[in-house]
Amino acid sequence: MDEQTPAPATPASRRTTLLWVIGGVAVILVGALVWFLVASNGVAEPGAEAGETTTVSDAPTPIPATATPTAVPPMETPSVDEFGRATAVPVPFEEPMPIENGITIAVTGLESVEGEAQIPGEVSGPAIRVTVDLRNDSAETISLRQTIVNLYYGDSLTAGNPILQPGGAPLPEEVAAGASATGVYVFSVPADDRERVRVEIDVDIDQTIVLFEGPVVG
């Protein structure tokens, strides 16, 4: 039997073959794209079962907030009360205190006395007699008509009750330029509660209130 020579491929068969090749390439590309998308969304951890993925986050790990540094306490400065009056930091009794307008105030005497009630409201008994000196170094006469002297004692700074005797003599109504003045004030204070005594001197509304503090023996 005679061998037959294969018939040459027709244009139609060549187109069919080309379509199959293009289809196969397309399938490969789609598969590669799917694999890339899956891989970009999760990375398999070692030991994880097939199909399990672990999401990788690009967000930084938050750093725990540190404690706020403790504020350094401010230095002692004159305080201001609700009425805008400045009050100086207390100083020892023996220390003179200069204030505005050339005035210098000092507590020059602290004596234990027996208070003598003279008018309603006063109480006889243990008392402290306070001597206050005021010097005017300004060039003008200074009025002392509004000057107030108070005394407080004990840890709670209880107000001592003012009395006139023995020897009470308040500051004069004014002090001339270059002159000095002296006032004596008596306050009822228990004999066993004098470890802390504070004398407050308020010359007038335009001046800083000054404070003298310390123990009083006797």
Side-chain angles (χ1 to χ4, degrees):
M1 187 167 111
D2 296 335
E3 294 181 2
Q4 297 182 351
T5 302
T10 63
S13 64
R14 284 197 298 271
R15 285 196 299 272
T16 301
T17 302
L18 181 59
L19 291 175
W20 278 104
V21 172
I22 293 173
V25 172
V27 170
I28 293 173
L29 291 176
V30 171
L33 179 60
V34 171
W35 178 87
F36 174 76
L37 293 175
V38 172
S40 63
N41 288 330
V43 178
E45 291 184 347
E49 295 184 7
E52 292 185 357
T53 59
T54 301
T55 301
V56 177
S57 173
D58 293 330
T61 302
I63 299 174
T66 56
T68 302
T70 303
V72 177
M75 296 177 62
E76 280 192 310
T77 56
S79 59
V80 178
D81 64 18
E82 59 183 323
F83 304 106
R85 297 292 309 282
T87 301
V89 176
V91 299
F93 286 122
E94 63 273 13
E95 183 176 327
M97 173 64 73
I99 57 174
E100 297 87 349
N101 296 346
I103 298 174
T104 300
I105 302 173
V107 174
T108 57
L110 291 164
E111 304 170 85
S112 179
V113 296
E114 190 70 16
E116 303 170 2
Q118 302 289 317
I119 61 175
E122 294 185 342
V123 178
S124 298
I128 294 176
R129 186 163 56 199
V130 182
T131 301
V132 175
D133 283 350
L134 186 149
R135 188 176 73 248
N136 177 13
D137 293 324
S138 73
E140 299 179 356
T141 297
I142 294 175
S143 173
L144 301 179
R145 290 179 176 85
Q146 300 181 40
T147 300
I148 299 173
V149 177
N150 294 312
L151 181 144
Y152 306 90
Y153 64 89
D155 292 336
S156 60
L157 293 176
T158 302
N161 187 50
I163 56 179
L164 294 176
Q165 298 298 326
L171 286 162
E173 292 186 350
E174 60 184 25
V175 56
S180 297
T182 298
V184 179
Y185 302 84
V186 183
F187 301 90
S188 296
V189 180
D192 58 353
D193 201 1
R194 300 181 180 183
E195 288 298 318
R196 182 186 186 189
V197 175
R198 174 179 290 182
V199 174
E200 174 187 80
I201 303 173
D202 182 0
V203 175
D204 65 45
I205 196 170
D206 296 323
Q207 310 291 331
T208 298
I209 298 171
V210 296
L211 304 174
F212 299 87
E213 188 172 304
V216 175
V217 180

